[in-house]
Amino acid sequence: MKRITILIAACLLVCLAAAFASAQGPLTVDIHGPGQRMVNIVLLPPKGLDGQPVPEAAAKAFEELVANDLGYIPFLKLVPVTTLLGGDPSRGVTAQDIDFKPLQLARVDLCLTTGWNGQYLEARVYETFGGRRVVGKAYRDVADKLPMVADRFCSAFLEALTGKKGFFDSPIAFVKQDGKAKEIYTVLPQGRGLTQISDLGGFNLSPAWSAEGDLIAFTHIGNDRHELCIYEAKTHKIRRIAKGLGDTVISPVYGPGDVLYASLNLNGTTNIYELSKSYKVGKRLGASPYIDVSPSFDRTGSKMAFTSGRAGNPHIYLLDMQSGQVRRVTTTGKYNTHPCLSPDGRYVAYTHQTSDGHRIFLHDLETGREKQLTFGPGNDEYPAFGPDGYFIAFASSRTGAYQLYLTTRHGDTPRRISTGKGAAFAPAWDTSLQW
């Protein structure tokens, strides 16, 4: 009996040691895995550096901005510091200044510290088990750029935690109702930095970013013709092209090598064509006598998803750019459109018509499995992958007029993007990662 007791105790010690060793390992989150690990984080009160006082207004504003940014991450849970046993367990901003025991007892995985010296800011995130620093950044002259600093720090933190970046300061182009006209705007996914790109009147539709993020192509529909428009970020000028493109110019998109593609009607049927650098019509892709629209490329440019009527109803197809072979992706329903390939080329998000309205679905090109990501009410349309392949923007009429929302490829609860007055739809995410 004594020997059994000793063996049990030994086993318990081994298990405890293994658990402690696991806790000591680097905390990472696989956002593309089958499940998402929930991570608890606490924002510790700001501290003064070098004996300087904390600038209360700036420190509070920065904390609110960071909390708002992190609130978009579904696997992060913000834990109030007031719930910790004994209150604030820190006396400074480094690991040596933090008593991690109360954080461990509260099952907090991460803690954020901020240190201030006038307009100089240091921000760090530590693991509570082991005190390892996950990320640390310093910023100068932050007084007039706190939102940008918060976005960049949260982007660095998210990259350190997941290995992916490009959410917080990667803008989204979209179509916004502006009186009787529809114009192109951009906005950050947190709803900041709303900027009007076009002021052409008529209908301006289908924005698409170049690979470097310095150009936005879109369609302008005026009183008498369609035009291909190219907005240049450096000059803020718009080039308008119509000659030689036929009477229909829709769904432009940048593909491999920043080559521009668009759906054109040149011979009675709308198909997808390659355009030269001087916007001359080149080869036709996936040629068919049926309507082909809405091309979308992965980051390598090896695949193109598109919508085609070749099955009698709109369905999603995939073109292998090297072999030219086309295969059908969707087989259910009578209306599947607006495909968007994930940057890594594995997934296609698209709009699927159900008996309850349009919904966003996700198709895994490797396994063939499909998953419904949104559930209304109203209609959910126009999915657009972010640069990390994790977040998906889309438009929904769930509150009446169409507005932009964010979800993830796991189908997490959608969160609305603030875009001001007027309907908003057809989002397109800048996936350049050039910021």
Side-chain angles (χ1 to χ4, degrees), residues 19 48 54 106 133 164 219 275 296 298 321 356:
V54 174
R133 188 177 69 183
K164 303 291 182 180
T219 296
L275 302 180
S296 173
D298 65 340
M321 292 292 288
D356 296 321

Side-chain angles (χ1 to χ4, degrees), residues 152-344:
R152 290 189 173 181
F153 176 75
C154 289
S155 285
F157 165 53
L158 195 60
E159 182 182 8
L161 195 61
T162 68
K164 303 291 182 180
K165 62 180 179 180
F167 172 73
F168 292 109
D169 39 11
S170 294
I172 297 171
F174 67 99
V175 178
K176 181 177 171 62
Q177 189 75 39
D178 193 355
K180 294 182 178 181
K182 291 180 173 67
E183 302 290 354
I184 306 299
Y185 284 71
T186 61
V187 70
L188 288 172
Q190 310 92 306
R192 292 197 294 272
L194 182 65
T195 303
Q196 184 171 350
I197 296 301
S198 71
D199 189 17
L200 303 178
F203 291 170
N204 301 279
L205 309 170
S206 304
W209 297 85
S210 66
E212 299 297 321
D214 56 342
L215 302 173
I216 299 176
F218 61 95
T219 296
H220 171 68
I221 302 177
N223 293 328
D224 56 353
R225 64 178 182 178
H226 285 205
E227 293 177 323
L228 171 66
C229 294
I230 309 295
Y231 168 81
E232 298 181 353
K234 291 182 179 179
T235 64
H236 304 293
K237 293 181 178 180
I238 295 175
R239 181 175 180 181
R240 302 166 68 170
I241 307 104
K243 185 178 179 180
L245 299 183
D247 57 6
T248 299
V249 183
I250 57 177
S251 56
V253 66
Y254 286 93
D258 243 359
V259 174
L260 190 61
Y261 297 81
S263 296
L264 310 175
N265 189 338
L266 300 178
N267 53 13
T269 302
T270 302
N271 286 138
I272 300 166
Y273 291 84
E274 178 182 312
L275 302 180
S276 69
K277 294 297 183 182
S278 58
Y279 307 107
K280 303 296 183 182
V281 177
K283 65 180 180 180
R284 183 169 57 162
L285 275 64
S288 77
Y290 304 96
I291 295 175
D292 296 337
V293 294
S294 304
S296 173
F297 292 89
D298 65 340
R299 184 166 282 148
T300 67
S302 62
K303 304 173 184 175
M304 184 188 79
F306 63 102
T307 303
S308 177
R310 60 188 70 192
N313 301 100
H315 277 282
I316 309 303
Y317 291 79
L318 191 71
L319 169 68
D320 185 298
M321 292 292 288
Q322 184 173 3
S323 68
Q325 292 183 342
V326 174
R327 72 177 178 91
R328 185 172 169 178
V329 174
T330 58
T331 57
T332 60
K334 296 182 178 181
Y335 186 91
N336 298 288
T337 189
H338 303 137
C340 183
L341 269 172
S342 61
D344 63 4

Side-chain angles (χ1 to χ4, degrees), residues 385-405:
F385 273 103
D388 53 13
Y390 176 71
F391 286 98
I392 298 174
F394 67 98
S396 177
S397 63
R398 60 188 57 198
T399 60
Y402 275 91
Q403 298 294 325
L404 301 187
Y405 291 82

